[in-house]
Amino acid sequence: MTSPGEFELIQRHVLKSLSGERDGYDRFACADAGVELGPGDDGALLVPTPGHRLVVSTDTSNVDVHFPADAPAHAIGHRALAVNLSDLAAMGATPRWFTLALTLPEADTAWVDAFAEGLHALAHRHGIALVGGDITRGPLSIAITVMGEVPIGQALMRHGGADGDHLLLTGPLGGANAGLKAWQRGERDCKTSALAAYLYPVPRTRLGERLRTCANAAIDLSDGLWADLSHLCRASGLGAELSVPDSAYAPSLASLDANERSQAFWHGGDDYELLVSVAPARLGEAHQAAAALGHELIYIGKLSAHTNAIDGGPDNPGGWRHFGETS
Amino acid sequence: MTSPGEFELIQRHVLKSLSGERDGYDRFACADAGVELGPGDDGALLVPTPGHRLVVSTDTSNVDVHFPADAPAHAIGHRALAVNLSDLAAMGATPRWFTLALTLPEADTAWVDAFAEGLHALAHRHGIALVGGDITRGPLSIAITVMGEVPIGQALMRHGGADGDHLLLTGPLGGANAGLKAWQRGERDCKTSALAAYLYPVPRTRLGERLRTCANAAIDLSDGLWADLSHLCRASGLGAELSVPDSAYAPSLASLDANERSQAFWHGGDDYELLVSVAPARLGEAHQAAAALGHELIYIGKLSAHTNAIDGGPDNPGGWRHFGETS
C-alpha cells in the first residue's frame, strides 16, 4: 500500500462528509432505521419489516445531461436523491435505505461538503438512511438506488387504473421547466419559486404513503405529463378523457406565451409531482388524506374504456400518437 | 412527446437486450426468485425471506479507471457484476437481486448486446435477477447495486476475527494483476489464464455461503492482500503473523522477477478471492465445505493479539505502516 494519493484523500473526505463525522453527528448510526450494520464492510446488513414488500428503484444524474455543470452542489445532492424518492412515492412505499455511487472528477472538498449537506438534509426529512456507497474518479455522475417498504398488497402500480377513475395531480405542473429555462437565461437566485421548483423538487413520499390505501394506480411525473400519463394509460389498458383546469398550471408559467406554456406543462417534466388514479367511491378518502398533509389534489380528467387515446391533451402535442403506438 | 431520438432508440435496445427479448427468453420473469414486480414501473416489488437479513452493496466500474476502454464488452458486463457479487460472497450472503445504472456514450447496439450477454451469463449462474435499471447518456460507467440475503446471525463481517484464527485464501493471488499487465502489453487472447483472471474474475458466492457457518470473519480481495488484510486486522483489533506458501502465488506470476511478483501478489488487487479467518476448532468444517465445491483453502498465517502489525508481509511493502495508522 503506497502513501495515499490525492484521490484517496478525497474519498476519505467524502466518507467523512457523508457520515456526518465533520459535524459531530453520526448519520450512519441508524439502529432505529433497521440498519444492523452500516457502511464500512463489504455490504450493509438491513432488517426488512415482516409483512412488507421491498421496493427498489435506481436513477442516475449526470452532469450536462440531468443538471447544468454550474448548478449549486447542494442542489445537485438534493435533486439526485429527490428523483429517486419520487419513485418510492409513486409506489406508495415508505423510504428506508439508499446506496450512493458517486463519480467525481476532482478533489474539491467544498463542493463535496455542500453536496453531502443537500443530500443528507433531504434524507433526514424523509427518514432514509445511507447504507453504502462507492466513490470513484471520473466525470461527475450520481447513481442512487433507493429501497423502501410497502405492506403486502398495497403497492401502487401503473397498471392498476380502472375505467372511470379520476386522474388527480398532487400539485401544479410546468414550474420545473420554467425554472430550468430561467437558469439557462442566467438567473441564479435559487429562492425564486421557479428556480426552486427545478433545483429542489419535493418528492411526495408522505402523500404516496397515504394514497396507497385509496388510489388504484400512480406514476411520478419525471418525463412530463403527456409521456407519463401515456405510460399509465398503456399499463392500465385504458384511454383518458381530460379536462385540465387553469389551477393545474404552475403560477410561474403565467408570463409565458401560450405555446411555451403548453410545452412546459405537457412535456417539460422534472416536476416530480404524482399522477394518481382514484375510483369515484374513494375520492373523499383521497382528498382527506391529501388535505391532512396540506395538499390539494387537482382533477384533470378520467380514465376511460371508451377511447384508446388521450382526449383533451395539448392542441399541438408534437409527435402525438395513440399511446398504443409507443413501445 | 416528440418522435424518438437516437438515444431513446438505444435505451429501448438496451432494455430489450437486457430483458432477453432479443433471444426469446424473458430474463425478467423471475417469480421463483422473489420478484413480485420486475422492471417497468417506478420500482420493483421484491419478497424478502423471513428470518433473513438483507445484504446490500454497490460498486461502480468506470472506463479508463476500472477497465480499459478497449476491453471486450462481454467482459465489461461480466466484471461489473462480478465485483459486486464478490462483496455478497464476502458477507456470506446468497445473491438475490440487482439494479443497473448504465451510462453509455453512444448508440452501439453490438456493444450493448455483448455487454448484456456477459452480464446475464454471470447473473444466471449466480441466481441473481435484474430488477431495475436506468440507462443514461454520458461517458461509459456501470454502477450496480446488489442485494442478497443471509440467515439472521450468520453474516460474515470484517470485525469477527479472533486471536489464533487461521487466515485462509480461497485461491492463489496475483493472477489478475498479471492479466492486466498482459493486456497493457497488447495481449488479446482472453482464453489465457492471465487475461481471464483479470477480465473474468469468479466471485466466490457459493463458497461464501458455505463458509458463513464456520468462519469468523471475511473480506473480498479487491484492493490487494496487503490493504484488505489490513482492513480485516484493523476491524478485528488484531495483528497477523504470516507464513505465505508458494502455492498462494498465481502460476502466471512464475515468469516475473521477484519484485514484480511480490508487487502483484501483495498489492495487485482485482483477484476477487476471499480472505477468511477461521477458528482452529472449525478448520475441518471449513476445508470440507471448500472441498465440496472443488476448492482448496490456502493457509497464509494467523491472526494474533501479540502484535499490532502484520509480520511476515512483503520484504518491501512500499508505504508500509502499522494498520492502525491508516484511516
Side-chain angles (χ1 to χ4, degrees):
Chain A
M1 194 155 58
T2 56
S3 64
E6 189 189 26
F7 198 72
E8 194 177 326
L9 288 174
I10 188 76
Q11 283 179 312
R12 291 181 193 176
H13 184 89
V14 173
L15 286 176
K16 282 185 188 175
S17 197
L18 286 173
S19 71
E21 196 178 309
R22 275 179 58 248
D23 48 21
Y25 164 60
D26 185 0
R27 291 176 172 127
F28 289 160
C30 304
D32 58 337
V35 180
E36 190 171 296
L37 181 75
D41 210 302
D42 290 296
L45 278 181
L46 309 175
V47 185
T49 307
H52 286 64
R53 293 294 183 240
L54 183 67
V55 181
V56 178
S57 185
T58 192
D59 251 314
T60 307
S61 300
N62 293 335
V63 65
D64 292 331
V65 177
H66 302 96
F67 57 86
D70 59 350
H74 187 276
I76 294 171
H78 171 101
R79 205 168 174 284
L81 180 58
V83 303
N84 277 279
L85 284 168
S86 181
D87 284 319
L88 291 183
M91 300 294 292
T94 304
R96 299 300 309 276
W97 313 290
F98 73 106
T99 62
L100 167 68
L102 175 62
T103 299
L104 283 175
E106 56 193 19
D108 182 341
T109 56
W111 191 96
V112 163
D113 291 344
F115 172 87
E117 272 181 42
L119 183 80
H120 275 301
L122 187 70
H124 186 70
R125 273 206 298 287
H126 291 262
I128 192 165
L130 178 63
V131 297
D134 190 21
I135 300 144
T136 54
R137 194 200 306 252
L140 183 59
S141 173
I142 306 120
I144 287 178
T145 297
V146 284
M147 287 158 275
E149 293 186 313
V150 64
I152 293 172
Q154 290 187 13
L156 294 172
M157 291 175 270
R158 298 177 182 182
H159 65 246
D163 183 28
D165 275 6
H166 283 217
L167 290 166
L168 305 167
L169 300 176
T170 58
L173 304 181
N177 189 255
L180 172 60
K181 285 178 181 147
W183 183 271
Q184 288 167 340
R185 278 196 309 269
E187 292 185 26
R188 290 295 179 269
D189 180 1
C190 298
K191 285 180 195 121
T192 64
S193 62
L195 276 195
Y198 174 65
L199 294 173
Y200 288 95
V202 180
R204 302 302 183 193
T205 55
R206 288 203 181 79
L207 194 46
E209 286 179 77
R210 294 279 191 127
L211 292 173
R212 69 191 179 202
T213 52
C214 47
N216 280 334
I219 189 169
D220 84 319
L221 296 169
S222 51
D223 295 338
L225 177 59
W226 183 254
D228 290 320
L229 172 59
S230 298
H231 292 318
L232 191 146
C233 284
R234 190 160 56 245
S236 297
L238 294 167
E241 292 166 0
L242 300 185
S243 171
V244 178
D246 283 344
S247 62
Y249 288 73
S252 56
L253 298 183
S255 62
L256 304 182
D257 69 35
N259 194 37
E260 285 179 325
R261 195 163 170 262
S262 173
Q263 183 69 22
F265 178 80
W266 291 102
H267 307 296
D270 289 339
D271 285 305
Y272 298 101
E273 296 291 348
L274 302 181
L275 169 68
V276 295
S277 92
V278 177
R282 313 299 296 273
L283 284 171
E285 207 179 323
H287 283 289
Q288 271 177 17
L293 293 168
H295 287 275
E296 196 168 337
L297 300 174
I298 303 167
Y299 171 84
I300 60 163
K302 293 179 185 179
L303 287 176
S304 170
H306 305 296
T307 172
N308 68 347
I310 295 171
D311 300 331
D315 292 337
N316 175 14
W320 187 91
R321 52 197 167 199
H322 286 196
F323 55 80
E325 292 170 27
T326 68
S327 83
Chain B
M1 191 156 56
T2 55
S3 64
E6 189 189 27
F7 197 72
E8 195 177 326
L9 289 175
I10 188 75
Q11 283 179 314
R12 290 182 193 176
H13 185 88
V14 173
L15 285 176
K16 282 185 189 177
S17 197
L18 285 173
S19 70
E21 197 177 309
R22 273 181 59 249
D23 47 21
Y25 164 61
D26 185 0
R27 291 175 173 127
F28 290 160
C30 304
D32 57 339
V35 180
E36 191 172 295
L37 181 74
D41 209 302
D42 289 295
L45 278 181
L46 309 175
V47 185
T49 307
H52 287 64
R53 293 295 184 240
L54 183 67
V55 181
V56 177
S57 186
T58 191
D59 251 313
T60 307
S61 300
N62 293 336
V63 65
D64 291 330
V65 177
H66 302 96
F67 57 86
D70 59 351
H74 188 276
I76 294 172
H78 172 102
R79 205 167 175 284
L81 180 59
V83 303
N84 276 280
L85 284 169
S86 181
D87 284 319
L88 291 182
M91 300 294 291
T94 303
R96 299 301 309 278
W97 312 291
F98 73 106
T99 63
L100 167 68
L102 175 62
T103 300
L104 284 175
E106 58 195 17
D108 181 341
T109 56
W111 191 97
V112 163
D113 291 344
F115 172 86
E117 272 181 41
L119 183 81
H120 275 300
L122 186 70
H124 186 70
R125 274 207 298 287
H126 291 262
I128 192 164
L130 178 62
V131 296
D134 190 24
I135 299 143
T136 55
R137 193 199 306 251
L140 182 59
S141 172
I142 306 121
I144 287 178
T145 296
V146 284
M147 287 157 274
E149 293 186 312
V150 64
I152 293 173
Q154 289 187 14
L156 293 172
M157 291 176 269
R158 297 178 183 182
H159 64 247
D163 183 28
D165 274 6
H166 283 216
L167 291 166
L168 305 167
L169 300 176
T170 58
L173 304 181
N177 190 254
L180 172 60
K181 283 177 182 146
W183 183 271
Q184 289 167 340
R185 277 196 311 270
E187 293 186 25
R188 290 294 180 270
D189 180 1
C190 298
K191 286 181 193 119
T192 65
S193 62
L195 276 194
Y198 174 66
L199 294 173
Y200 289 94
V202 180
R204 302 303 184 193
T205 54
R206 289 204 180 79
L207 193 46
E209 286 180 75
R210 294 278 189 126
L211 292 172
R212 70 189 178 202
T213 52
C214 48
N216 280 332
I219 188 168
D220 83 318
L221 296 168
S222 51
D223 295 337
L225 178 58
W226 184 254
D228 291 320
L229 173 58
S230 298
H231 292 318
L232 191 148
C233 284
R234 191 163 54 246
S236 297
L238 294 166
E241 292 166 0
L242 300 184
S243 171
V244 178
D246 283 344
S247 62
Y249 289 73
S252 57
L253 298 182
S255 63
L256 303 182
D257 69 35
N259 193 38
E260 285 180 324
R261 195 164 171 262
S262 173
Q263 182 68 24
F265 178 79
W266 291 102
H267 308 296
D270 289 339
D271 285 306
Y272 297 101
E273 295 291 347
L274 303 180
L275 169 67
V276 296
S277 93
V278 177
R282 313 299 296 273
L283 285 171
E285 207 178 323
H287 283 289
Q288 271 177 18
L293 294 167
H295 287 275
E296 195 168 337
L297 300 174
I298 303 167
Y299 171 84
I300 61 163
K302 293 179 186 178
L303 288 176
S304 171
H306 305 298
T307 174
N308 68 346
I310 296 171
D311 301 330
D315 292 337
N316 174 13
W320 185 91
R321 53 197 166 197
H322 286 194
F323 55 80
E325 290 170 28
T326 68
S327 83

PDB file of all heavy atoms in Angstrom, chain B residues 48-52 149 152:
ATOM      1  N   PRO B  48     -38.797 -10.379   0.487  1.00  0.00           N
ATOM      2  CA  PRO B  48     -37.704 -10.800   1.364  1.00  0.00           C
ATOM      3  C   PRO B  48     -38.045 -12.136   2.039  1.00  0.00           C
ATOM      4  O   PRO B  48     -39.215 -12.446   2.250  1.00  0.00           O
ATOM      5  CB  PRO B  48     -37.614  -9.681   2.405  1.00  0.00           C
ATOM      6  CG  PRO B  48     -38.386  -8.530   1.833  1.00  0.00           C
ATOM      7  CD  PRO B  48     -39.445  -9.147   0.959  1.00  0.00           C
ATOM      8  N   THR B  49     -37.010 -12.914   2.362  1.00  0.00           N
ATOM      9  CA  THR B  49     -37.206 -14.207   3.011  1.00  0.00           C
ATOM     10  C   THR B  49     -37.268 -14.024   4.525  1.00  0.00           C
ATOM     11  O   THR B  49     -36.351 -13.438   5.110  1.00  0.00           O
ATOM     12  CB  THR B  49     -36.036 -15.150   2.667  1.00  0.00           C
ATOM     13  OG1 THR B  49     -35.878 -15.190   1.247  1.00  0.00           O
ATOM     14  CG2 THR B  49     -36.288 -16.555   3.194  1.00  0.00           C
ATOM     15  N   PRO B  50     -38.332 -14.508   5.175  1.00  0.00           N
ATOM     16  CA  PRO B  50     -38.407 -14.387   6.647  1.00  0.00           C
ATOM     17  C   PRO B  50     -37.183 -15.018   7.309  1.00  0.00           C
ATOM     18  O   PRO B  50     -36.636 -16.000   6.805  1.00  0.00           O
ATOM     19  CB  PRO B  50     -39.681 -15.159   6.988  1.00  0.00           C
ATOM     20  CG  PRO B  50     -40.511 -15.131   5.737  1.00  0.00           C
ATOM     21  CD  PRO B  50     -39.516 -15.175   4.606  1.00  0.00           C
ATOM     22  N   GLY B  51     -36.754 -14.435   8.425  1.00  0.00           N
ATOM     23  CA  GLY B  51     -35.620 -14.989   9.166  1.00  0.00           C
ATOM     24  C   GLY B  51     -34.276 -14.617   8.585  1.00  0.00           C
ATOM     25  O   GLY B  51     -33.248 -15.147   9.001  1.00  0.00           O
ATOM     26  N   HIS B  52     -34.264 -13.709   7.626  1.00  0.00           N
ATOM     27  CA  HIS B  52     -33.011 -13.313   6.988  1.00  0.00           C
ATOM     28  C   HIS B  52     -32.765 -11.814   7.114  1.00  0.00           C
ATOM     29  O   HIS B  52     -33.681 -11.036   7.332  1.00  0.00           O
ATOM     30  CB  HIS B  52     -33.023 -13.689   5.498  1.00  0.00           C
ATOM     31  CG  HIS B  52     -32.868 -15.153   5.253  1.00  0.00           C
ATOM     32  ND1 HIS B  52     -33.812 -16.084   5.672  1.00  0.00           N
ATOM     33  CD2 HIS B  52     -31.878 -15.860   4.632  1.00  0.00           C
ATOM     34  CE1 HIS B  52     -33.407 -17.289   5.324  1.00  0.00           C
ATOM     35  NE2 HIS B  52     -32.245 -17.191   4.697  1.00  0.00           N
ATOM     36  N   GLU B 149     -29.229 -12.146   0.657  1.00  0.00           N
ATOM     37  CA  GLU B 149     -29.837 -12.456   1.959  1.00  0.00           C
ATOM     38  C   GLU B 149     -28.946 -13.424   2.725  1.00  0.00           C
ATOM     39  O   GLU B 149     -28.259 -14.258   2.133  1.00  0.00           O
ATOM     40  CB  GLU B 149     -31.221 -13.067   1.758  1.00  0.00           C
ATOM     41  CG  GLU B 149     -32.210 -12.070   1.175  1.00  0.00           C
ATOM     42  CD  GLU B 149     -33.623 -12.622   1.114  1.00  0.00           C
ATOM     43  OE1 GLU B 149     -33.773 -13.765   0.636  1.00  0.00           O
ATOM     44  OE2 GLU B 149     -34.539 -11.923   1.535  1.00  0.00           O
ATOM     45  N   ILE B 152     -30.354 -14.711   9.815  1.00  0.00           N
ATOM     46  CA  ILE B 152     -30.034 -13.826  10.938  1.00  0.00           C
ATOM     47  C   ILE B 152     -28.886 -14.413  11.761  1.00  0.00           C
ATOM     48  O   ILE B 152     -28.890 -15.585  12.101  1.00  0.00           O
ATOM     49  CB  ILE B 152     -31.275 -13.629  11.829  1.00  0.00           C
ATOM     50  CG1 ILE B 152     -32.343 -12.844  11.051  1.00  0.00           C
ATOM     51  CG2 ILE B 152     -30.920 -12.887  13.113  1.00  0.00           C
ATOM     52  CD1 ILE B 152     -33.678 -12.743  11.775  1.00  0.00           C
TER      53      ILE B 152
END
